[in-house]
Amino acid sequence: MSFKRTPSHQKYVNKKRIIQCIQECSPISRAEIAVKLQLSKPTVSQAVDELIQGKWVFEKGIGESSSQGGRRPIQLFFNEKAAYIIGVDIGGTKVKIVLSDLSGNILADTSFSTNTYLHSGLLKQMAIETERLIAKNQIAKERILGMGVGIPGITQTASGLVIEAPSLGWVQYPFIAEAKRYFDFPIFLDNDVNAAALGEQWLGNAQNKRNLLFIAVGTGIGSGIILNNHLYRGASSAAGEMGYMVTDKEDIKREFKPIFHRYGYLESVAGGKSIGGHFTREVLKDPHHFLFERAKSSELSGEDAFLAAKKGDTAAMAVINEAIEHLACGIVNAASLLNPEVIILGGGVLNSAEYILPRIREVVDRYLPSLVEMKTSLLGENAGVLGAVSLFLREHDGILNFRDEGEY
């Protein structure tokens, strides 16, 4: 999109660049900012004065003198407590809400059961819990910049519409329009795995990476894609649906039946739910298996399978190794296409990462034409909520929102 650069717009862009520089490099002096950003000293000084006046930045102490001696420069610091953001991760089982400062430090958090309020007012309960967090921490409401929300489904960030979220039963749900009945600050939403990818890039194991693939493996399988520092959502906001990959051509010949409505092939062979189902069927073939009686009364979980595999159970190991091969093939395919700098694995798979990761690496290293870093999520279960905070900072048209020069 072309954008006409007016003097006022250029001043706005410069101020954004300067505050980002202070945020990332503080303590830093005005002179160092001017050199780093290749801006004139008067331009930097004027912007910094305005940022100090707005309480986004503060001065503190004095810096080291130069090797030539002379007056020591005053150091600038980013004021991470200048404002606060609410981050929300709506999951199929629980809704988690955090109150975060501008650097992603979580001041407080709360959660509640999704199913308890799904049909009786999920947004209303979110509002109640959010009010409690703000009041308990004695934050003035005007210091809340807004809210970011991650949702388990296909979403349109621009319109605030949830196209489909199967675990919530939402289809064409006008989330932002409904949310405005309860919240008087800006709200932005995105797919929960997209949000987690943003969280890992901001504060996790993908910091300073411009190209990354975040893969969440839980009941289902999804991914968030960041290319050239931009979240890639796709033509219909459905990019990253790795769970629909087909990793066995023989299964194409047979009728495919997903474990859940609208779930994909890879999820049916490598997701947590499918691993539990396959393991249950294997256990029921052996009346002497130590889990046989449990399997007769109820389906075993993916976690049961991993615990048994760690004990050396051959049935569990066979089921899990088969699932890992499918997942690894999906990762090879995605990485071949996207060429990320790093692949981050998150979701329920984290609980068994030490078992899974070496086996995935073995397949990926064997078939992938170029090497890629593979790591587990550093943020863990906070990836979604901190990603929602990061989403807000990216989407909100405020002084902290900075985009590359090429976007203007």
Side-chain angles (χ1 to χ4, degrees), residues 52-121:
I52 291 172
Q53 189 176 356
K55 296 187 174 149
W56 296 106
V57 171
F58 62 90
E59 297 173 311
K60 184 179 177 183
I62 53 177
E64 294 296 326
S65 60
S66 67
S67 57
Q68 292 80 27
R71 190 176 62 182
R72 294 179 177 182
I74 294 172
Q75 298 292 288
L76 300 166
F77 292 78
F78 175 67
N79 182 12
E80 60 190 23
K81 307 297 183 187
Y84 300 89
I85 299 162
I86 305 295
V88 182
D89 184 14
I90 299 178
T93 56
K94 76 172 182 178
V95 176
K96 183 170 184 176
I97 305 172
V98 299
L99 174 63
S100 167
D101 69 16
L102 298 175
S103 291
N105 299 306
I106 296 175
L107 279 72
D109 67 86
T110 186
S111 62
F112 61 87
S113 165
T114 304
N115 288 333
T116 302
Y117 297 96
L118 186 57
H119 302 294
S120 61

Side-chain angles (χ1 to χ4, degrees), residues 360-378:
I360 289 179
R361 277 202 179 106
E362 185 183 333
V363 176
V364 170
D365 290 347
R366 190 189 318 154
Y367 290 105
L368 198 63
S370 57
L371 293 176
V372 62
E373 277 188 88
M374 287 195 66
K375 299 179 178 180
T376 53
S377 167
L378 179 66

